[in-house]
Amino acid sequence: MIYFQKTSLSPYVAIGLLAVSLHAVELEKIEVEADRLITPTMQANETVYTGSEVTQKGMELQGTKATTNVYEAIGLLPGISVETPDSSGLAIEQSSVRVRGVKSSMGALSVEGVPNYGGNPIGPRDYLYDMENMESISIYKGGVPADIGTGVGSRGGAITLHPRWAEKEFGFDVSQSIGSNDYTKSYFRLDSGILNESGTRFSGSLSYAEADKFRGEGELGPRVNGNVSLVQPVGDKATIKLWYNHNDQEQHLYRPLTYSQISNGNLSSNYKTDYNSALSGVASKDIYYYDYNKGTYKNDDFLSVITYHIDDTFALNLKPYYSSEDTQIYQGVTSNGGRIQKRTRDIERYGILSEVEATFGDMKAVLGYHYENSSMDISTQNYAITSSGLSYRGYGVVGTSGTTYINTPYMKVSGKQGDFNWQGGVKYFKFEDSESLGYTTNSTTYALERASDLDRDATDYTIVLPTIGASYDMDEAWQLYANYGKNFIRPYSYMPLMNTYNTYRTQFQAAGVTAQDLFDGYGIEKSDNFDVGIRYKADLFEISQHSFMANTKTF
């Protein structure tokens, strides 16, 4: 039922309205300003908008879950689907994220173009940063600009984080968040401001977060994050920026539900189903004990951005970087009647992006080179469940490999002629994968023994990646645009392939098939991405309509 209330104007209001009707009243001009949540974006030295940028205000709109997870911070964008098991944002590597239908693990994540990724699972580490330390996030869902370090690939698009470098003014941020399931996050940041005549300034931040799982026993966290940045101008032509990020996190895993548990109306009765809170003494059941399904994750990332303006035409940019990961994840498996498997990731990567940029009137050009050297020692170890705890049973899969290399030259050219904007680029991606020696575990001593049928040969993977784009400004509000880009991802899922071979090793050997025979069928996945649309820009909002988009997959 709806109720209406009748009111009347007071005599004073009536007299005022009468006065306005009899005399023209000139009101003072009022300007309304608003911070945009999402804006079109382009890489430096480009002229055509090919991506979207989520501003700091846009990230804040996503709530506390977006302060510790990159994908949660951009979940408001169309074409990005984020499904996570927990609303706190602290459950890591347990989400399902797709960009235009492609898994996010096949996409690229970078900080100022410097790639962030790992193995087992392959792809970005989206949980490493306090997003309060980021100025904005750029997302390229189609073609990816050539100067973004894509790491393992870009079939799932590319995301670039833009750090909130040390501020010019002194200041500090303090925040304390609390929520259900004992969620808490404490965050503190200090900016020194300019300290001397040379312009030196630095920032430092520290945060602590943790929460209980919303279902089952266990905790998410503690998560400790630290970040430091330094900005140092060198004369009038050069600037050195240093950035270091440390993330140390622990978590108990959520138990995934089976199809039968969520279908035919069963989800409501299984909504709280999770790992067991106590041991039973039966191995096949105790693989589901919550404290046997957990992980620890430690990451350190350092990068530097060195810019030198040679003259009014040429500039030099260097971005050396270093990244390390030390992770152990325990999880129950059903093999051999039930055992616990520990996945270990010991990863080190270092490299440099170097480029020369030039400006000739309305035309810009970039010539660059990306080099990376990495080692990924990835393996699994097995443990039997006994009355006294876990007992070591040797290695499952030894994924230790030698040093791998990325060598990627690239170039971009862009220009503007009146209302017409254009750009083009090309990247040559070369990944040199090292050989890997195979081992098995002795069933009595649990020592490693050589197994040549598990060896994997060194292999080079190469691909040429062109991009092209154009736009036309019909007036100040309307713009037509189109762009194309070829994306890729290098071979992945090495550990699942080796697990399959080990499971059926006897049958493979009988058929004369080695692990290398399986890897011989691997190649680079490629996709062609087209975007054609029209963009309307008003003072307070913007509309971008895609009239055609295609994402094809080939090998």
Side-chain angles (χ1 to χ4, degrees):
M1 183 177 294
I2 301 175
Y3 294 91
F4 295 92
Q5 182 179 9
K6 183 178 180 181
T7 61
S8 60
L9 295 173
S10 70
Y12 302 104
V13 174
I15 293 172
L17 292 175
L18 179 60
V20 170
S21 66
L22 294 176
H23 301 280
V25 178
E26 183 177 352
L27 299 178
E28 182 181 353
K29 183 179 179 180
I30 299 175
E31 293 185 0
V32 178
E33 294 184 358
D35 292 320
R36 290 181 178 268
L37 305 179
I38 304 171
T39 64
T41 191
M42 65 180 77
Q43 280 291 97
N45 298 295
E46 293 187 344
T47 56
V48 180
Y49 292 109
T50 56
S52 301
E53 183 171 286
V54 178
T55 65
Q56 204 168 57
K57 287 291 183 182
M59 289 186 279
E60 291 174 2
L61 187 67
Q62 299 300 294
T64 56
K65 63 181 180 180
T67 65
T68 56
N69 188 291
V70 175
Y71 290 114
E72 293 284 11
I74 61 174
L76 77 167
L77 289 174
I80 297 180
S81 173
V82 182
E83 298 178 1
T84 58
D86 194 275
S87 62
S88 68
L90 294 177
I92 59 178
E93 294 184 359
Q94 301 178 73
S95 303
S96 174
V97 181
R98 290 182 179 270
V99 179
R100 286 185 172 176
V102 180
K103 291 181 179 179
S104 60
S105 59
M106 299 185 185
L109 175 63
S110 71
V111 179
E112 294 286 26
V114 172
N116 155 340
Y117 70 94
N120 194 33
I122 200 169
R125 303 309 193 226
D126 58 301
Y127 49 87
L128 302 184
Y129 314 109
D130 277 340
M131 300 309 292
E132 297 97 329
N133 292 324
M134 298 298 167
E135 194 68 39
S136 62
I137 310 175
S138 296
I139 305 98
Y140 300 90
K141 292 179 283 187
V144 175
D147 57 339
I148 293 179
T150 48
V152 296
S154 56
R155 271 207 65 223
I159 298 172
T160 296
L161 306 180
H162 304 286
R164 180 184 163 196
W165 294 100
E167 309 272 356
K168 293 182 178 181
E169 301 293 333
F170 170 81
F172 61 90
D173 298 341
V174 179
S175 67
Q176 176 62 54
S177 303
I178 58 174
S180 57
N181 300 305
D182 290 330
Y183 172 81
T184 180
K185 181 182 179 183
S186 305
Y187 171 82
F188 174 78
R189 174 182 168 115
L190 173 69
D191 284 271
S192 68
I194 296 177
L195 296 174
N196 51 40
E197 292 183 358
S198 68
T200 305
R201 59 186 191 271
F202 72 86
S203 69
S205 72
L206 183 67
S207 73
Y208 178 92
E210 64 178 345
D212 290 336
K213 291 166 57 181
F214 89 91
R215 60 181 169 97
E217 293 288 335
E219 299 177 348
L220 302 173
R223 174 186 184 272
V224 178
N225 185 279
N227 183 274
V228 178
S229 75
L230 172 70
V231 179
Q232 178 60 66
V234 182
D236 297 329
K237 293 186 175 183
T239 303
I240 299 175
K241 296 180 179 179
L242 306 178
W243 188 86
Y244 168 72
N245 190 84
H246 170 81
N247 194 73
D248 196 341
Q249 189 163 351
E250 301 177 11
Q251 70 169 352
H252 286 97
L253 307 180
Y254 279 101
R255 183 175 178 177
L257 301 180
T258 64
Y259 177 76
S260 62
Q261 288 176 319
I262 64 173
S263 60
N264 300 321
N266 294 326
L267 179 59
S268 58
S269 59
N270 289 294
Y271 185 70
K272 291 287 187 179
T273 300
D274 200 69
Y275 290 111
N276 303 330
S277 59
L279 292 168
S280 67
V282 180
S284 59
K285 295 181 179 179
D286 288 340
I287 60 175
Y288 302 114
Y289 176 52
Y290 84 97
D291 211 30
Y292 288 163
N293 293 269
K294 60 184 180 181
T296 60
Y297 313 77
K298 181 180 179 182
N299 295 79
D300 291 279
D301 294 274
F302 169 83
L303 68 89
S304 177
V305 180
I306 304 170
T307 303
Y308 178 67
H309 294 278
I310 301 171
D311 53 32
D312 293 338
T313 301
F314 295 98
L316 175 66
N317 299 311
L318 300 175
K319 298 178 183 178
Y321 64 91
Y322 170 83
S323 176
S324 69
E325 177 176 349
D326 181 10
T327 294
Q328 292 84 38
I329 303 170
Y330 291 83
Q331 214 161 2
V333 295
T334 58
S335 59
N336 295 92
R339 58 172 56 180
I340 302 301
Q341 185 180 84
K342 181 176 77 169
R343 290 186 287 136
T344 298
R345 306 194 302 242
D346 186 4
I347 300 172
E348 277 194 311
R349 301 184 299 109
Y350 62 87
I352 184 170
L353 285 90
S354 55
E355 61 184 33
V356 176
E357 59 182 67
T359 302
F360 305 99
D362 291 332
M363 182 175 172
K364 302 176 182 179
V366 175
L367 181 64
Y369 197 95
H370 177 205
Y371 167 83
E372 182 179 283
N373 176 314
S374 67
S375 62
M376 295 192 181
D377 294 337
I378 298 174
S379 61
T380 63
Q381 294 171 283
N382 296 317
Y383 293 82
I385 301 174
T386 69
S387 57
S388 58
L390 299 180
S391 179
Y392 181 66
R393 290 295 183 270
Y395 279 85
V397 174
V398 180
T400 300
S401 61
T403 302
T404 64
Y405 301 92
I406 293 176
N407 287 278
T408 303
Y410 59 88
M411 66 172 294
K412 300 192 306 182
V413 181
S414 64
K416 179 179 178 65
Q417 293 176 330
D419 294 325
F420 179 71
N421 306 284
W422 60 271
Q423 65 189 39
V426 63
K427 173 190 289 188
Y428 175 75
F429 177 84
K430 181 180 180 181
F431 174 68
E432 301 176 37
D433 200 0
S434 66
E435 68 175 1
S436 179
L437 300 181
Y439 295 88
T440 59
T441 298
N442 185 285
S443 59
T444 303
T445 64
Y446 309 125
L448 288 176
E449 297 178 345
R450 280 283 287 119
S452 59
D453 63 308
L454 298 177
D455 291 352
R456 179 165 50 85
D457 296 338
T459 308
D460 291 351
Y461 300 96
T462 62
I463 185 173
V464 177
L465 305 163
T467 59
I468 188 170
S471 66
Y472 179 75
D473 299 322
M474 294 181 287
D475 55 35
E476 292 184 357
W478 293 92
Q479 182 188 73
L480 295 172
Y481 66 91
N483 64 76
Y484 161 79
K486 182 182 287 292
N487 294 349
F488 78 105
I489 184 169
R490 69 168 175 80
Y492 55 96
S493 295
Y494 286 14
M495 292 296 281
L497 195 62
M498 291 302 298
N499 281 328
T500 299
Y501 185 86
N502 279 330
T503 300
Y504 303 101
R505 187 181 179 209
T506 301
Q507 293 91 323
F508 278 126
Q509 287 179 319
V513 177
T514 66
Q516 181 59 46
D517 293 326
L518 301 186
F519 279 94
D520 285 340
Y522 260 17
I524 287 182
E525 292 183 16
K526 315 162 195 176
S527 65
D528 296 284
N529 301 266
F530 303 85
D531 284 282
V532 180
I534 187 169
R535 180 178 292 115
Y536 174 75
K537 181 179 180 181
D539 290 336
L540 297 179
F541 67 93
E542 191 165 308
I543 300 175
S544 179
Q545 176 62 46
H546 298 283
S547 59
F548 174 71
M549 184 273 289
N551 188 310
T552 61
K553 174 182 175 183
T554 58
F555 293 89

